[in-house]
Amino acid sequence: MNAQTNKKVQLITLNPGHFHAALVQKSMYATIDPEVFVYAPKGKELDAHLALVNGYNTRAENPTVWKEIVYTGDDYLAKMLSEKKGNVVVLAGNNKLKTTYISEAVNAGFNVLADKPMAINKAGFNLLEQTFAAAKKKGVLLYDIMTERSQATNALQRELSMLPAVFGTLQKGTAAEPAVIKESVHHFFKTVSGKPLIRPAWYFDVAQEGEGIVDVTTHLVDLVQWECFPGVTLQYKKDIHVDKAKRWATVITRAQFQQSTQLDQFPDYLQQYVKDGALNVYANGSFDYTIKGVHARVSVTWNFEAPVGGGDTHYSVMKGTKASLVIRQGAEQQYKPVLYIEPVDHSTAYEKSLTAAITQLAKKYEGLAVKKVSNGWELVIPAQYELNHEACFAEVTKRYLDYLQKGKMPAWEVPNMLAKYYTTIEALRVATNAK
């Protein structure tokens, strides 16, 4: 791989149709040049992206100093490929186009940092697999933005699962009672960087955004792999089998659509999803699968708007032979993720083992502690380790910059990215064919 040790990283942002592209630039990085080259068609999506970056540049506290150099011709993709102004392409936008963008950039010799999902259908997966092979030949790094690994509760759920005295070993589970469950609830209308998020109309078109079962589930499947099989290289052809899957629609009224997009009417391409005057978006999905013999369940639900005081939520269970590690993020937790340790054996001996393990882990996470609750213990995580969704983008970017400097990623990253996208797209196939 081509290391970037003696050269600053020069970012290129390609057609930023999703606010995640801007979140990569919410922080500054010592190894990234402040000049960023943007190639995109003119329109509201580009304007929104530039407004977010400008907001980071002009904020009172810790402002950034990005300089956006923008090209807006219709030939923006060809122009980017021919000018080669940078060495890392950041991609977050229309998922119908994304896999092609990734392929074109890699084949032209660019490194790519892409928002999830990198593929939303079988054709996209096939192209993605070819593109990873091309990246290896070109000596460039293709990586997706997995923010959930940087959430403290997820990272510590993983840490605790690797402590036999606390967790034991991961159970296999059954089809009826999976050993691993990951569920998330999201919302179309939300606030980002202090302002209401205006979504492009295509975000509601599953042909362009992808169905929910291949979108947000990317994060959840990644966590299953990363937490249950740390450092293990997965082979999707033999290690993964999707047993059952289902999908269902979120109904969006015309008034809600207008609130989210600022458009008065459903565009023509959305008319096929309109029934009784409302838009039906297949944003929801659930599937059960086995991964190296372990039964897992993943599901995602999209509502229009969160309850007052609420937001996106995450629920996660890992069942060990000695304890279950459970993340809850409901009203009882004030919509903040909380990690619980729920032991099989409530003996004094287990409590001593847990206390000793947390004391040891606190050498890495200063201030970490546990407190007794009704069904076990709550892990008390110091505030400095708790990052919100937006802050996690800087952590992923730092991880990617480290890989660029080294000129390589861990051996398991690429095979496991392929395993992840195989899982979600196979789940879509099973759900679509379900009776």
Side-chain angles (χ1 to χ4, degrees), residues 159-179:
E159 293 263 19
L160 290 175
S161 74
M162 291 190 283
L163 300 177
V166 173
F167 185 66
T169 56
L170 181 65
Q171 294 184 31
K172 295 289 187 182
T174 65
E177 297 288 340

Side-chain angles (χ1 to χ4, degrees), residues 153-368:
T153 45
N154 294 330
L156 284 161
Q157 188 179 45
R158 183 180 191 252
E159 293 263 19
L160 290 175
S161 74
M162 291 190 283
L163 300 177
V166 173
F167 185 66
T169 56
L170 181 65
Q171 294 184 31
K172 295 289 187 182
T174 65
E177 297 288 340
V180 186
I181 301 172
K182 304 280 186 186
E183 300 174 352
S184 65
V185 178
H186 292 258
H187 303 90
F188 284 105
F189 189 71
K190 63 172 70 174
T191 298
V192 173
S193 297
K195 296 180 180 179
L197 174 64
I198 304 304
R199 295 194 187 270
W202 58 256
Y203 195 83
F204 296 85
D205 180 7
V206 295
Q208 298 185 68
E209 172 61 19
E211 294 203 13
I213 206 168
V214 296
D215 186 5
V216 172
T217 56
T218 309
H219 282 304
L220 305 181
V221 173
D222 183 75
L223 288 176
V224 171
Q225 296 179 176
W226 183 69
E227 292 186 32
C228 298
F229 303 100
V232 175
T233 298
L234 300 169
Q235 299 177 51
Y236 73 82
K237 291 180 181 177
K238 73 173 188 177
D239 289 337
I240 294 164
H241 184 266
V242 176
D243 301 309
K244 63 180 181 179
K246 61 181 179 179
R247 57 202 267 275
W248 64 99
T250 299
V251 179
I252 305 291
T253 67
R254 193 179 301 276
Q256 288 172 333
F257 183 78
Q258 183 176 6
Q259 186 181 7
S260 183
T261 65
Q262 296 189 336
L263 298 176
D264 295 333
Q265 302 292 329
F266 297 125
D268 289 344
Y269 58 78
L270 289 179
Q271 291 299 326
Q272 60 182 314
Y273 312 117
V274 176
K275 183 179 180 182
D276 298 326
L279 186 65
N280 289 258
V281 185
Y282 275 90
N284 312 294
S286 175
F287 54 92
D288 288 29
Y289 68 110
T290 54
I291 174 167
K292 294 186 80 68
V294 174
H295 289 269
R297 178 175 297 153
V298 161
S299 73
V300 61
T301 302
W302 277 81
N303 299 319
F304 178 70
E305 191 172 6
V308 175
D312 294 351
T313 62
H314 178 71
Y315 171 74
S316 171
V317 180
M318 291 180 71
K319 297 177 183 177
T321 53
K322 290 188 177 179
S324 291
L325 306 174
V326 186
I327 298 170
R328 296 186 178 91
Q329 193 180 357
E332 185 181 339
Q333 292 77 31
Q334 298 180 310
Y335 298 103
K336 295 180 180 178
V338 177
L339 175 56
Y340 300 93
I341 302 145
E342 300 181 351
V344 174
D345 173 14
H346 288 260
S347 67
T348 303
Y350 180 83
E351 184 171 0
K352 287 182 178 178
S353 295
L354 174 64
T355 303
I358 297 301
T359 300
Q360 192 66 25
L361 197 54
K363 294 178 181 178
K364 180 177 180 181
Y365 297 89
E366 187 178 353
L368 195 69

Side-chain angles (χ1 to χ4, degrees), residues 9-14 16 21-22 24-25 27-29 32-39 49-50 53 57 65-71 85-86 88-90:
V9 171
Q10 191 84 59
L11 293 183
I12 294 173
T13 308
L14 178 61
V24 170
Q25 293 176 242
S27 302
M28 299 299 297
Y29 311 88
I32 297 183
D33 193 293
E35 283 193 345
V36 179
F37 295 88
V38 182
Y39 295 83
H49 171 76
L50 296 175
V53 175
N57 281 346
V65 291
W66 300 108
K67 181 181 178 183
E68 305 291 290
I69 303 169
V70 184
Y71 178 83
K85 293 283 190 178
V88 173
V89 176
V90 174

